[in-house]
Amino acid sequence: MATIPTLGAERTAGHTASRAETRELLGKATYDLLVIGGGILGTAVAWTASQAGLKVAMVDAGDFAGATSSASSKLVHGGLRYLQTGAVKLVAENHKERRVLATDVAPHLVNPLTFFVPVYKGGPHGATKLGAGVFLYSALSAFRDGMGRVSTAAHAAQQVPALRTEGLRSVAVYGDHQMNDSRVAVMTVRAAVDAGAVVLNHAEVTGLRFTGSRVTGAELKDRLDGTEFGVSARLVLNATGPWVDHLRKMEDAGAAPSIRLSKGAHVVVKRRSPWRAALTIPIDKYRVSFAIPWEDHVLLGTTDEEYTGDPQDVRATEADIDQIMGEAGHAIRDEHIDRDLITYAFAGLRVLPGGPGDTSAAKRETVVTEGRGGMLSVAGGKWTTYRHIGRTVLEKLAHVPGTTLGEDMSPIANTVPLPGVGAPNAVAHRLLIDREPGSRMEPLVAKHLASHYGTLSFDIARMIDENPELGRPIHPDGPDVWAQVAYAADNEWAYTTDDVLRRRTTMTVRGLATPEIEQEVEAFLAKRGEK
């Protein structure tokens, strides 16, 4: 087993409060808003409400974005397929939010990406139709990502050598963006805390508090040490995603189901050649699958099927993997989707409004309902519009009868950047040149830090300057370094190996989270907790 880096003076002055300190803060005050659930919806509302001056608490039974919200397709997009249903206004709104995220809120985390839609002989769509679609799509974004167009098969094969060229007539080309959803989630939690929120992950709700018939807080149990505590609040927001009806039944045992679930699985594979663009692969007239260059690998998927099991048990099955690899094979040559190339497979659950019909045709919309005890429940959402969702929910909170929350809210700025905002290339350049005499940083590490932390990379670089052992790679085949583990423990609410390896770093998706690495990280976190 490799030597675990020793702990030096690298602990930053701005580290997060301990769990005991946080539990005390949560238990001794009455909050304006208690948000239960730290995924897309919970973090968005906690951030927005804190900006508005409300006293906000947020808890999650697992890690922040530990379930569905870190199991997305990693896209920040307008939704090309929505044009098929005539949802032009929705696409335009999505584009607006996408551009704000990419230019003002998180340019260090949201990256532009070119997409090809291959047109094959006998395929479900022709070049003329797709060309018109991508032109309209780019027009709805005011052509800020270039003009949607039709290009040649030869050009596409040059950009994506893995592309299957047999029967390939042309490709439709458009622009969108991608991100690392886990990193965006952690930065949003940090932004909420910077604005005054108090947050705790791995804290499970065991019951709701009532004053008369009204929900006024929650009883919780710290899953890491078993400590029981409670939080009181003027208003409680249920943002628990797939578990939203479970919490609604705590409020009202007779509450009828309000949602249904659709499973989306993905597969990550090593790439054998450069991928300079992503593929949007038509499967039939309505469904597409993606092949997206991501974290030096390729992300394939997704599936869309109704799920009726326990949300805790959701996973990518062999059948899911077979489907994803088979659908990828419509446009990718066999040697690039060999099962031996798989590094990771995962699945998440989309929360859809309850009702009949195929889940793939169900509306992707956010629904807010008020329960018998006054608890608000919010379900459905996506990363592209999460800021907009946060503002929409905040507006509803302002008008909940009997709370007068609206009277205590201050106007919020149209655009507030996430922590670390900065141009990744400029940050990487500074990381390489602003070094202590005799020290150096590998260019791949500098690029990796800059594109996952932005200017917060300089804090990590200082930790390495103070303790050079923290500059060592966690695994020789990846760019993640031990300073990221220390930073995650000190500043990003990382308490378990899964917190660190799957969501604070890219170790798991790269297939590098070996049992030995897990043991090393677990020992490192244990030592960190003793300080």
Side-chain angles (χ1 to χ4, degrees):
M1 181 179 292
T3 304
I4 300 168
T6 56
L7 303 178
E10 70 283 348
R11 194 173 177 90
T12 60
H15 66 271
T16 55
S18 71
R19 295 186 68 81
E21 292 168 335
T22 301
R23 290 195 302 262
E24 184 179 357
L25 280 173
L26 290 171
K28 73 180 183 181
T30 297
Y31 288 82
D32 295 322
L33 176 66
L34 168 60
V35 179
I36 302 173
I40 294 174
L41 298 177
T43 57
V45 174
W47 182 28
T48 308
S50 298
Q51 290 176 57
L54 294 184
K55 189 176 181 65
V56 177
M58 180 175 71
V59 296
D60 193 291
D63 187 21
F64 300 125
T68 298
S69 299
S70 59
S72 76
S73 296
K74 324 301 180 187
L75 294 180
V76 180
H77 64 131
L80 178 64
R81 71 182 184 89
Y82 300 156
L83 291 179
Q84 279 190 282
T85 61
V88 174
K89 183 179 179 182
L90 174 63
V91 172
E93 291 171 349
N94 288 352
H95 272 314
K96 181 180 178 181
E97 276 299 301
R98 177 175 66 89
R99 295 302 308 176
V100 172
L101 284 174
T103 58
D104 301 317
V105 175
H108 52 314
L109 303 173
V110 177
N111 308 300
L113 184 62
T114 299
F115 282 74
F116 293 154
V117 187
V119 180
Y120 288 99
K121 181 180 180 180
H125 304 294
T128 301
K129 177 184 177 181
L130 283 175
V134 296
F135 179 83
L136 173 59
Y137 189 70
S138 58
L140 291 172
S141 69
F143 300 108
R144 291 180 179 176
D145 298 286
M147 184 180 295
R149 66 194 190 281
V150 175
S151 187
T152 65
H155 170 71
Q158 182 184 43
Q159 298 297 303
V160 184
L163 183 63
R164 189 181 293 278
T165 55
E166 300 86 353
L168 181 64
R169 292 185 165 178
S170 60
V171 294
V173 185
Y174 67 97
D176 258 327
H177 285 76
Q178 70 173 166
M179 51 126 188
N180 182 310
D181 47 16
S182 300
R183 295 302 311 164
V184 172
V186 170
M187 288 298 98
T188 305
V189 174
R190 181 161 178 161
V193 171
D194 288 347
V198 179
V199 305
L200 190 65
N201 51 359
H202 302 290
E204 179 183 4
V205 171
T206 57
L208 296 176
R209 288 184 170 181
F210 290 84
T211 300
S213 60
R214 187 168 186 84
V215 176
T216 54
E219 305 296 341
L220 296 110
K221 181 178 181 179
D222 190 322
R223 281 184 161 182
L224 300 186
D225 67 6
T227 301
E228 296 182 350
F229 62 105
V231 183
S232 295
R234 294 162 64 188
L235 185 66
V236 175
L237 180 72
N238 170 15
T240 53
W243 293 271
V244 68
D245 281 341
H246 172 74
L247 204 63
R248 288 177 62 247
K249 286 186 177 296
M250 285 189 182
E251 176 190 31
D252 175 9
S258 65
I259 62 166
R260 54 186 178 145
L261 303 174
S262 167
K263 184 173 77 167
H266 295 82
V267 172
V268 181
V269 297
K270 295 177 182 178
R271 56 183 183 184
R272 283 182 161 165
S273 61
W275 280 69
R276 300 182 184 91
L279 300 180
T280 300
I281 306 169
I283 303 304
D284 53 39
K285 286 188 177 181
Y286 304 102
R287 281 197 65 240
V288 300
S289 191
F290 292 107
I292 304 168
W294 184 69
E295 300 294 1
D296 305 320
H297 288 61
V298 180
L299 179 70
L300 304 174
T302 179
T303 61
D304 192 340
E305 61 180 30
E306 187 167 8
Y307 183 84
T308 57
D310 187 335
Q312 197 68 41
D313 297 333
V314 68
R315 61 185 179 86
T317 64
E318 286 299 312
D320 294 328
I321 295 171
D322 286 341
Q323 178 184 337
I324 291 168
M325 301 298 269
E327 291 179 347
H330 283 109
I332 301 173
R333 290 193 279 119
D334 292 345
E335 63 267 29
H336 295 274
I337 49 174
D338 190 299
R339 272 181 168 260
D340 290 341
L341 297 176
I342 295 175
T343 60
Y344 186 48
F346 62 93
L349 295 173
R350 305 176 189 89
V351 179
L352 306 173
D358 191 343
T359 56
S360 63
K363 289 184 177 181
R364 268 53 170 173
E365 60 185 3
T366 303
V367 179
V368 182
T369 57
E370 183 175 357
R372 179 177 293 181
M375 180 175 72
L376 292 190
S377 294
V378 57
K382 61 181 182 178
W383 278 116
T384 302
T385 54
Y386 89 116
R387 279 188 344 122
H388 175 71
I389 292 169
R391 291 164 186 254
T392 300
V393 174
L394 184 67
E395 181 66 22
K396 292 185 180 293
L397 298 181
H399 296 96
V400 174
T403 65
T404 67
L405 282 183
E407 298 175 9
D408 299 327
M409 292 183 189
S410 303
I412 62 176
N414 287 331
T415 304
V416 177
L418 289 179
V421 66
N425 288 341
V427 171
H429 180 68
R430 276 193 55 191
L431 287 171
L432 290 172
I433 65 173
D434 292 353
R435 308 300 302 149
E436 293 292 319
S439 67
R440 67 184 296 272
M441 181 177 287
E442 291 292 333
L444 284 178
V445 173
K447 179 183 177 182
H448 176 73
L449 294 178
S451 61
H452 290 76
Y453 300 84
T455 58
L456 298 178
S457 302
F458 303 135
D459 294 338
I460 295 175
R462 280 190 288 272
M463 298 170 80
I464 295 171
D465 288 341
E466 293 168 3
N467 184 353
E469 286 190 42
L470 292 177
R472 289 197 300 105
I474 303 172
H475 189 287
D477 294 338
D480 293 294
V481 295
W482 279 101
Q484 293 174 251
V485 184
Y487 190 81
D490 289 356
N491 300 282
E492 296 185 338
W493 305 278
Y495 298 99
T496 71
T497 56
D498 199 51
D499 294 350
V500 170
L501 296 173
R502 189 165 79 85
R503 288 177 292 276
R504 305 307 188 277
T505 68
T506 63
M507 296 292 292
T508 296
V509 299
R510 296 174 188 273
L512 303 178
T514 64
E516 181 183 60
I517 293 294
E518 289 182 357
Q519 291 174 16
E520 292 177 30
V521 170
E522 185 173 10
F524 184 95
L525 292 175
K527 286 188 177 181
R528 204 76 183 174
E530 294 170 0
K531 284 184 67 77

Short mmCIF file of all heavy atoms in Angstrom, two decimals, residues 393-442:
data_model
loop_
_atom_site.label_atom_id
_atom_site.label_comp_id
_atom_site.label_asym_id
_atom_site.label_seq_id
_atom_site.Cartn_x
_atom_site.Cartn_y
_atom_site.Cartn_z
N VAL A 393 -39.18 28.82 -7.07
CA VAL A 393 -39.61 28.28 -5.78
C VAL A 393 -39.57 29.37 -4.71
O VAL A 393 -40.47 29.46 -3.87
CB VAL A 393 -38.73 27.08 -5.37
CG1 VAL A 393 -39.08 26.62 -3.96
CG2 VAL A 393 -38.90 25.94 -6.36
N LEU A 394 -38.54 30.22 -4.73
CA LEU A 394 -38.46 31.31 -3.75
C LEU A 394 -39.69 32.22 -3.86
O LEU A 394 -40.23 32.66 -2.83
CB LEU A 394 -37.19 32.12 -3.97
CG LEU A 394 -36.94 33.23 -2.93
CD1 LEU A 394 -36.66 32.63 -1.56
CD2 LEU A 394 -35.79 34.13 -3.36
N GLU A 395 -40.12 32.48 -5.07
CA GLU A 395 -41.32 33.32 -5.26
C GLU A 395 -42.54 32.67 -4.63
O GLU A 395 -43.38 33.34 -4.01
CB GLU A 395 -41.54 33.54 -6.76
CG GLU A 395 -42.73 34.43 -7.10
CD GLU A 395 -42.57 35.87 -6.64
OE1 GLU A 395 -41.43 36.32 -6.43
OE2 GLU A 395 -43.62 36.55 -6.47
N LYS A 396 -42.64 31.35 -4.74
CA LYS A 396 -43.75 30.64 -4.11
C LYS A 396 -43.64 30.68 -2.59
O LYS A 396 -44.64 30.82 -1.88
CB LYS A 396 -43.81 29.19 -4.61
CG LYS A 396 -44.19 29.06 -6.08
CD LYS A 396 -44.35 27.61 -6.49
CE LYS A 396 -44.72 27.50 -7.97
NZ LYS A 396 -46.06 28.04 -8.26
N LEU A 397 -42.41 30.57 -2.08
CA LEU A 397 -42.21 30.63 -0.63
C LEU A 397 -42.67 31.97 -0.07
O LEU A 397 -43.19 32.06 1.04
CB LEU A 397 -40.73 30.42 -0.29
CG LEU A 397 -40.08 29.09 -0.66
CD1 LEU A 397 -38.62 29.07 -0.20
CD2 LEU A 397 -40.83 27.92 -0.06
N ALA A 398 -42.46 33.02 -0.86
CA ALA A 398 -42.80 34.37 -0.40
C ALA A 398 -44.30 34.55 -0.18
O ALA A 398 -44.72 35.44 0.56
CB ALA A 398 -42.30 35.40 -1.41
N HIS A 399 -45.09 33.66 -0.80
CA HIS A 399 -46.54 33.83 -0.73
C HIS A 399 -47.24 32.70 0.02
O HIS A 399 -48.46 32.56 -0.07
CB HIS A 399 -47.11 33.96 -2.15
CG HIS A 399 -46.64 35.18 -2.88
ND1 HIS A 399 -45.57 35.16 -3.75
CD2 HIS A 399 -47.07 36.47 -2.83
CE1 HIS A 399 -45.36 36.38 -4.23
NE2 HIS A 399 -46.26 37.19 -3.69
N VAL A 400 -46.49 31.91 0.77
CA VAL A 400 -47.13 30.87 1.57
C VAL A 400 -47.87 31.52 2.73
O VAL A 400 -47.28 32.27 3.52
CB VAL A 400 -46.08 29.87 2.12
CG1 VAL A 400 -46.74 28.87 3.07
CG2 VAL A 400 -45.41 29.12 0.96
N PRO A 401 -49.16 31.27 2.85
CA PRO A 401 -49.95 31.91 3.91
C PRO A 401 -49.43 31.56 5.30
O PRO A 401 -49.00 30.43 5.57
CB PRO A 401 -51.35 31.33 3.71
CG PRO A 401 -51.38 30.84 2.30
CD PRO A 401 -49.98 30.39 2.00
N GLY A 402 -49.45 32.54 6.19
CA GLY A 402 -49.13 32.29 7.58
C GLY A 402 -47.67 32.32 7.95
O GLY A 402 -47.33 32.16 9.13
N THR A 403 -46.76 32.52 6.98
CA THR A 403 -45.33 32.53 7.30
C THR A 403 -44.71 33.91 7.25
O THR A 403 -43.69 34.16 7.88
CB THR A 403 -44.55 31.64 6.32
OG1 THR A 403 -44.63 32.19 5.00
CG2 THR A 403 -45.11 30.22 6.30
N THR A 404 -45.29 34.82 6.47
CA THR A 404 -44.77 36.19 6.26
C THR A 404 -43.32 36.19 5.80
O THR A 404 -42.59 37.15 6.02
CB THR A 404 -44.91 37.06 7.53
OG1 THR A 404 -44.05 36.54 8.56
CG2 THR A 404 -46.34 37.10 8.03
N LEU A 405 -42.88 35.09 5.15
CA LEU A 405 -41.50 35.05 4.68
C LEU A 405 -41.22 36.15 3.66
O LEU A 405 -40.12 36.72 3.63
CB LEU A 405 -41.19 33.70 4.05
CG LEU A 405 -40.93 32.52 4.99
CD1 LEU A 405 -40.59 31.28 4.19
CD2 LEU A 405 -39.82 32.83 5.97
N GLY A 406 -42.22 36.43 2.82
CA GLY A 406 -42.03 37.44 1.80
C GLY A 406 -41.63 38.80 2.36
O GLY A 406 -40.87 39.54 1.73
N GLU A 407 -42.11 39.11 3.56
CA GLU A 407 -41.79 40.40 4.17
C GLU A 407 -40.32 40.48 4.59
O GLU A 407 -39.77 41.57 4.75
CB GLU A 407 -42.68 40.63 5.39
CG GLU A 407 -44.17 40.68 5.06
CD GLU A 407 -45.02 40.78 6.31
OE1 GLU A 407 -44.45 40.99 7.41
OE2 GLU A 407 -46.26 40.64 6.19
N ASP A 408 -39.69 39.33 4.77
CA ASP A 408 -38.31 39.31 5.24
C ASP A 408 -37.30 39.10 4.12
O ASP A 408 -36.10 39.01 4.37
CB ASP A 408 -38.14 38.18 6.27
CG ASP A 408 -39.02 38.38 7.49
OD1 ASP A 408 -39.25 39.54 7.86
OD2 ASP A 408 -39.51 37.38 8.04
N MET A 409 -37.78 39.00 2.89
CA MET A 409 -36.89 38.76 1.77
C MET A 409 -36.40 40.07 1.16
O MET A 409 -37.16 41.02 1.02
CB MET A 409 -37.59 37.94 0.69
CG MET A 409 -37.92 36.52 1.08
SD MET A 409 -38.68 35.64 -0.31
CE MET A 409 -39.19 34.11 0.49
N SER A 410 -35.12 40.06 0.80
CA SER A 410 -34.53 41.20 0.09
C SER A 410 -34.41 40.84 -1.38
O SER A 410 -34.29 39.67 -1.73
CB SER A 410 -33.15 41.52 0.66
OG SER A 410 -33.23 41.80 2.04
N PRO A 411 -34.40 41.84 -2.26
CA PRO A 411 -34.20 41.55 -3.69
C PRO A 411 -32.83 40.91 -3.91
O PRO A 411 -31.87 41.22 -3.20
CB PRO A 411 -34.27 42.94 -4.35
CG PRO A 411 -34.99 43.81 -3.37
CD PRO A 411 -34.63 43.28 -2.02
N ILE A 412 -32.74 40.03 -4.87
CA ILE A 412 -31.47 39.38 -5.16
C ILE A 412 -30.97 39.81 -6.54
O ILE A 412 -31.74 40.19 -7.41
CB ILE A 412 -31.57 37.83 -5.09
CG1 ILE A 412 -32.55 37.30 -6.13
CG2 ILE A 412 -31.99 37.39 -3.70
CD1 ILE A 412 -32.63 35.79 -6.17
N ALA A 413 -29.67 39.75 -6.70
CA ALA A 413 -29.06 40.14 -7.97
C ALA A 413 -29.46 39.16 -9.08
O ALA A 413 -29.71 37.99 -8.82
CB ALA A 413 -27.54 40.19 -7.83
N ASN A 414 -29.50 39.66 -10.31
CA ASN A 414 -29.85 38.80 -11.43
C ASN A 414 -28.83 37.68 -11.62
O ASN A 414 -29.18 36.56 -11.98
CB ASN A 414 -29.95 39.62 -12.72
CG ASN A 414 -31.19 40.49 -12.75
OD1 ASN A 414 -32.20 40.14 -12.14
ND2 ASN A 414 -31.13 41.61 -13.43
N THR A 415 -27.56 38.00 -11.40
CA THR A 415 -26.50 37.02 -11.64
C THR A 415 -25.49 37.07 -10.51
O THR A 415 -24.91 38.12 -10.24
CB THR A 415 -25.77 37.31 -12.97
OG1 THR A 415 -26.74 37.33 -14.03
CG2 THR A 415 -24.74 36.24 -13.26
N VAL A 416 -25.31 35.95 -9.84
CA VAL A 416 -24.29 35.81 -8.80
C VAL A 416 -23.40 34.63 -9.19
O VAL A 416 -23.90 33.52 -9.38
CB VAL A 416 -24.92 35.56 -7.42
CG1 VAL A 416 -23.84 35.34 -6.37
CG2 VAL A 416 -25.82 36.72 -7.02
N PRO A 417 -22.10 34.86 -9.34
CA PRO A 417 -21.23 33.75 -9.76
C PRO A 417 -21.01 32.74 -8.64
O PRO A 417 -21.09 33.08 -7.45
CB PRO A 417 -19.93 34.45 -10.13
CG PRO A 417 -19.94 35.72 -9.34
CD PRO A 417 -21.38 36.12 -9.22
N LEU A 418 -20.73 31.53 -9.03
CA LEU A 418 -20.34 30.51 -8.06
C LEU A 418 -18.91 30.76 -7.60
O LEU A 418 -18.11 31.39 -8.31
CB LEU A 418 -20.44 29.12 -8.68
CG LEU A 418 -21.85 28.58 -8.94
CD1 LEU A 418 -21.78 27.20 -9.57
CD2 LEU A 418 -22.67 28.53 -7.66
N PRO A 419 -18.54 30.27 -6.43
CA PRO A 419 -17.16 30.44 -5.94
C PRO A 419 -16.15 29.89 -6.94
O PRO A 419 -16.40 28.89 -7.61
CB PRO A 419 -17.15 29.63 -4.64
CG PRO A 419 -18.57 29.63 -4.18
CD PRO A 419 -19.40 29.59 -5.43
N GLY A 420 -15.02 30.59 -7.03
CA GLY A 420 -13.95 30.14 -7.91
C GLY A 420 -14.06 30.63 -9.33
O GLY A 420 -13.26 30.23 -10.18
N VAL A 421 -15.02 31.50 -9.63
CA VAL A 421 -15.24 31.92 -11.00
C VAL A 421 -13.96 32.51 -11.60
O VAL A 421 -13.26 33.29 -10.96
CB VAL A 421 -16.41 32.93 -11.09
CG1 VAL A 421 -16.08 34.23 -10.37
CG2 VAL A 421 -16.81 33.18 -12.53
N GLY A 422 -13.65 32.08 -12.80
CA GLY A 422 -12.45 32.53 -13.48
C GLY A 422 -12.23 31.71 -14.73
O GLY A 422 -12.81 30.63 -14.90
N ALA A 423 -11.40 32.21 -15.62
CA ALA A 423 -11.12 31.50 -16.87
C ALA A 423 -10.15 30.35 -16.60
O ALA A 423 -9.03 30.59 -16.14
CB ALA A 423 -10.52 32.45 -17.89
N PRO A 424 -10.54 29.11 -16.87
CA PRO A 424 -9.68 27.96 -16.55
C PRO A 424 -8.28 28.05 -17.15
O PRO A 424 -7.30 27.69 -16.50
CB PRO A 424 -10.46 26.77 -17.09
CG PRO A 424 -11.89 27.20 -17.06
CD PRO A 424 -11.85 28.66 -17.39
N ASN A 425 -8.17 28.49 -18.40
CA ASN A 425 -6.85 28.57 -19.03
C ASN A 425 -5.94 29.54 -18.30
O ASN A 425 -4.75 29.27 -18.10
CB ASN A 425 -6.98 28.97 -20.49
CG ASN A 425 -7.56 27.86 -21.35
OD1 ASN A 425 -7.55 26.69 -20.96
ND2 ASN A 425 -8.07 28.21 -22.52
N ALA A 426 -6.49 30.68 -17.88
CA ALA A 426 -5.70 31.67 -17.15
C ALA A 426 -5.30 31.13 -15.78
O ALA A 426 -4.17 31.33 -15.31
CB ALA A 426 -6.48 32.97 -17.00
N VAL A 427 -6.23 30.42 -15.12
CA VAL A 427 -5.94 29.84 -13.81
C VAL A 427 -4.84 28.79 -13.94
O VAL A 427 -3.88 28.76 -13.14
CB VAL A 427 -7.21 29.22 -13.18
CG1 VAL A 427 -6.86 28.42 -11.93
CG2 VAL A 427 -8.22 30.31 -12.85
N ALA A 428 -4.96 27.92 -14.94
CA ALA A 428 -3.95 26.87 -15.15
C ALA A 428 -2.58 27.50 -15.41
O ALA A 428 -1.56 27.01 -14.90
CB ALA A 428 -4.36 25.98 -16.31
N HIS A 429 -2.53 28.58 -16.18
CA HIS A 429 -1.26 29.25 -16.47
C HIS A 429 -0.62 29.77 -15.19
O HIS A 429 0.59 29.57 -14.95
CB HIS A 429 -1.51 30.40 -17.45
CG HIS A 429 -0.27 31.17 -17.81
ND1 HIS A 429 0.75 30.62 -18.55
CD2 HIS A 429 0.13 32.44 -17.50
CE1 HIS A 429 1.71 31.52 -18.71
NE2 HIS A 429 1.36 32.62 -18.07
N ARG A 430 -1.43 30.39 -14.33
CA ARG A 430 -0.89 30.90 -13.06
C ARG A 430 -0.42 29.77 -12.16
O ARG A 430 0.59 29.90 -11.47
CB ARG A 430 -1.94 31.75 -12.35
CG ARG A 430 -2.01 33.18 -12.83
CD ARG A 430 -2.83 34.03 -11.90
NE ARG A 430 -2.35 33.98 -10.52
CZ ARG A 430 -3.02 34.47 -9.48
NH1 ARG A 430 -4.21 35.01 -9.66
NH2 ARG A 430 -2.52 34.39 -8.26
N LEU A 431 -1.15 28.66 -12.16
CA LEU A 431 -0.73 27.53 -11.34
C LEU A 431 0.65 27.02 -11.76
O LEU A 431 1.43 26.56 -10.94
CB LEU A 431 -1.75 26.39 -11.44
CG LEU A 431 -3.09 26.59 -10.73
CD1 LEU A 431 -4.06 25.49 -11.10
CD2 LEU A 431 -2.91 26.64 -9.21
N LEU A 432 0.93 27.11 -13.06
CA LEU A 432 2.21 26.62 -13.57
C LEU A 432 3.36 27.58 -13.31
O LEU A 432 4.48 27.15 -13.07
CB LEU A 432 2.09 26.33 -15.07
CG LEU A 432 1.21 25.14 -15.46
CD1 LEU A 432 1.01 25.09 -16.96
CD2 LEU A 432 1.82 23.83 -14.96
N ILE A 433 3.08 28.88 -13.36
CA ILE A 433 4.19 29.84 -13.24
C ILE A 433 4.38 30.39 -11.83
O ILE A 433 5.49 30.77 -11.47
CB ILE A 433 4.02 31.01 -14.23
CG1 ILE A 433 2.77 31.84 -13.90
CG2 ILE A 433 3.97 30.49 -15.67
CD1 ILE A 433 2.65 33.10 -14.74
N ASP A 434 3.32 30.43 -11.03
CA ASP A 434 3.43 30.97 -9.67
C ASP A 434 3.79 29.87 -8.69
O ASP A 434 3.01 29.50 -7.81
CB ASP A 434 2.12 31.64 -9.24
CG ASP A 434 1.82 32.90 -10.02
OD1 ASP A 434 2.70 33.33 -10.79
OD2 ASP A 434 0.71 33.45 -9.86
N ARG A 435 4.96 29.32 -8.83
CA ARG A 435 5.39 28.23 -7.98
C ARG A 435 6.55 28.66 -7.12
O ARG A 435 7.30 29.57 -7.44
CB ARG A 435 5.82 27.01 -8.82
CG ARG A 435 4.82 26.53 -9.86
CD ARG A 435 3.50 26.11 -9.25
NE ARG A 435 3.68 25.05 -8.27
CZ ARG A 435 2.89 24.90 -7.21
NH1 ARG A 435 1.92 25.75 -6.98
NH2 ARG A 435 3.09 23.91 -6.37
N GLU A 436 6.69 27.97 -5.99
CA GLU A 436 7.85 28.20 -5.14
C GLU A 436 9.11 27.76 -5.87
O GLU A 436 9.06 26.82 -6.68
CB GLU A 436 7.70 27.40 -3.83
CG GLU A 436 6.57 27.88 -2.93
CD GLU A 436 6.84 29.24 -2.36
OE1 GLU A 436 8.00 29.51 -1.97
OE2 GLU A 436 5.89 30.06 -2.32
N PRO A 437 10.25 28.42 -5.62
CA PRO A 437 11.50 28.00 -6.27
C PRO A 437 11.78 26.52 -6.05
O PRO A 437 11.68 26.02 -4.93
CB PRO A 437 12.55 28.89 -5.59
CG PRO A 437 11.80 30.09 -5.13
CD PRO A 437 10.43 29.59 -4.75
N GLY A 438 12.09 25.84 -7.12
CA GLY A 438 12.41 24.42 -7.02
C GLY A 438 11.22 23.50 -7.07
O GLY A 438 11.38 22.28 -7.07
N SER A 439 10.00 24.06 -7.11
CA SER A 439 8.80 23.21 -7.17
C SER A 439 8.13 23.38 -8.53
O SER A 439 8.32 24.39 -9.21
CB SER A 439 7.80 23.58 -6.07
OG SER A 439 7.26 24.87 -6.29
N ARG A 440 7.37 22.39 -8.92
CA ARG A 440 6.65 22.48 -10.19
C ARG A 440 5.35 21.69 -10.08
O ARG A 440 5.19 20.84 -9.20
CB ARG A 440 7.50 21.92 -11.34
CG ARG A 440 7.77 20.43 -11.27
CD ARG A 440 8.70 19.97 -12.38
NE ARG A 440 8.11 20.15 -13.70
CZ ARG A 440 7.34 19.25 -14.30
NH1 ARG A 440 7.06 18.10 -13.67
NH2 ARG A 440 6.84 19.46 -15.50
N MET A 441 4.43 22.01 -10.95
CA MET A 441 3.17 21.29 -11.02
C MET A 441 3.02 20.73 -12.42
O MET A 441 3.29 21.42 -13.41
CB MET A 441 1.99 22.22 -10.69
CG MET A 441 0.63 21.53 -10.73
SD MET A 441 -0.75 22.62 -10.26
CE MET A 441 -0.48 22.77 -8.49
N GLU A 442 2.61 19.49 -12.52
CA GLU A 442 2.40 18.88 -13.82
C GLU A 442 1.32 19.65 -14.59
O GLU A 442 0.27 19.98 -14.00
CB GLU A 442 1.98 17.42 -13.67
CG GLU A 442 3.06 16.50 -13.14
CD GLU A 442 4.20 16.34 -14.14
OE1 GLU A 442 3.95 16.48 -15.36
OE2 GLU A 442 5.33 16.09 -13.69
#
